[in-house]
Amino acid sequence: MAGQLKVGFLGYGTRGLDALMTHPDFQVNYFFAPRARICQDVRDARERYRGRFQYAEVENNRDLAARFAQARDVDCFVMNACPIILNQEVLDRMDVFNIHPGNLENNRGHHPHLWTVLLGETASRITLHAVNCRIDDGVVIKSVEEAISPEDSAGDVLNKLEDHIPELLDALYAYRTGSVTTPERVIHGGGYRRPMTYSDYEIHPDTDDAATAKRKILARSMHHGAFVAESGARYYVDRILGTAPAAEQGPAVRVDRQAGTVSVRLKQEAVLFHLGKIEIQNRGEAR
């Protein structure tokens, strides 16, 4: 019977790290965090597991290649949420397996769980695949499908999918120790969805309805929600407070800062939103 698999972790998606740390078949010897994404989750995880692995921050492929070249007593790395697109120099030094919260057939890219919500999809998959030089492509070790509700936010979708990480790790262990030798599938050239931009989650009074606005809010729930632009500002809204028949006269957008609301006339109804952040345009592009 094979013993523990010695691995490293790369990324800032610390649910993947937590799953590895608590899985009986893995021993985590390294944690490499992308410097551009050092956040409270990373700091908390480093403190939570202090002394149990070697920790380092990496900025680019050059840093990562050097770290991998020095890594000892490790079979492979598991990656979860890393903005560095690994190049061949890095992959020649280490086998890396990526956890991707989307279906590689049609939902590759940086924001898969956001697109799932924005497009109103009813199901998604979380996928563990062997990393190559292409984005979210290649040999799939294991994927698990999860039903998505119209009420789910992007955060809800990510949590539902990441609940299946232990199943992915079970499959990785079986694959790397030789008890399973055939991958689930191989996907090359699946559909890629670009990173979201402001235009994707701006609420447009002339063309959007309440359902579309709600999807935009839920898709950006992990940030500031959607926004409506008016008088040189972006007014971010994070939930719908109510609807009413649309008035035929008056401005399409009414902002009440004191009440903390934004009323928007969308097609045949007026929608009242809760006002969150206000961003003056051309003074920085906060996301």
Side-chain angles (χ1 to χ4, degrees):
M1 180 177 179
Q4 282 189 318
L5 199 66
K6 297 177 181 179
V7 299
F9 179 79
L10 169 63
Y12 65 95
T14 56
R15 280 199 71 184
L17 175 62
D18 289 339
L20 279 169
M21 296 297 294
T22 57
H23 197 292
D25 294 330
F26 291 91
Q27 175 181 314
V28 181
N29 288 343
Y30 298 91
F31 174 19
F32 296 160
R35 189 168 293 126
R37 294 291 188 272
I38 301 301
C39 57
Q40 192 60 47
D41 286 347
V42 170
R43 290 188 285 269
D44 289 346
R46 185 183 179 188
E47 182 63 28
R48 185 161 61 248
Y49 302 119
R50 181 174 294 276
R52 296 182 60 182
F53 45 58
Q54 293 187 41
Y55 172 84
E57 296 175 6
V58 292
E59 186 170 357
N60 50 36
N61 275 287
R62 183 182 64 253
D63 287 352
L64 196 51
R67 292 289 180 183
F68 280 171
Q70 297 170 359
R72 298 291 182 268
D73 200 20
V74 61
D75 177 81
C76 62
F77 266 68
V78 175
M79 182 167 74
N80 187 21
C82 180
I84 303 171
I85 306 302
L86 307 191
N87 63 20
Q88 195 60 50
E89 180 185 6
V90 168
L91 296 173
D92 284 343
R93 287 168 167 76
M94 186 68 63
D95 291 336
V96 181
F97 296 87
N98 181 48
I99 297 169
H100 177 70
N103 189 337
L104 299 197
E105 293 179 344
N106 59 14
N107 196 7
R108 298 164 49 233
H110 187 58
H111 292 148
H113 49 300
L114 278 64
W115 283 110
T116 290
V117 174
L118 186 63
L119 297 176
E121 294 176 340
T122 59
S124 186
R125 303 188 77 87
I126 188 165
T127 305
L128 178 76
H129 68 99
V131 177
N132 58 36
C133 289
R134 297 178 294 272
I135 298 173
D136 301 325
D137 179 279
V139 175
V140 174
I141 308 305
K142 175 73 173 179
S143 67
V144 182
E145 184 170 272
E146 177 67 44
I148 305 302
S149 161
E151 302 301 317
D152 284 338
S153 68
D156 294 331
V157 171
L158 184 61
N159 285 334
K160 282 185 173 183
L161 293 174
E162 289 188 337
D163 283 345
H164 296 288
I165 289 178
E167 297 171 59
L168 304 185
L169 296 180
D170 289 343
L172 177 62
Y173 182 82
Y175 187 73
R176 293 299 286 189
T177 57
S179 61
V180 173
T181 58
T182 304
E184 181 179 293
R185 68 185 80 176
V186 179
I187 298 175
H188 289 309
Y192 175 80
R193 292 173 178 169
R194 57 173 173 74
M196 279 191 179
T197 63
Y198 285 102
S199 62
D200 296 310
Y201 54 96
E202 178 179 359
I203 297 170
H204 299 282
D206 293 337
T207 57
D208 288 348
D209 57 17
T212 301
K214 180 179 178 179
R215 287 199 304 274
K216 290 180 176 182
I217 291 171
L218 291 173
R220 297 295 299 187
S221 63
M222 300 173 73
H223 302 78
H224 298 290
F227 71 90
V228 59
E230 174 69 10
S231 302
R234 294 189 181 106
Y235 296 95
Y236 282 82
V237 295
D238 52 21
R239 64 183 183 274
I240 294 175
L241 300 176
T243 60
E248 295 183 2
Q249 303 297 324
V253 179
R254 301 180 185 217
V255 179
D256 188 333
R257 297 193 187 197
Q258 185 173 1
T261 61
V262 180
S263 178
V264 183
R265 188 170 64 240
L266 300 176
K267 291 189 175 181
Q268 301 303 313
E269 60 184 346
V271 180
L272 187 67
F273 298 94
H274 176 262
L275 172 63
K277 175 184 173 184
I278 300 174
E279 180 182 286
I280 305 301
Q281 294 186 44
N282 299 322
R283 294 186 184 177
E285 296 292 334
R287 293 254 178 188

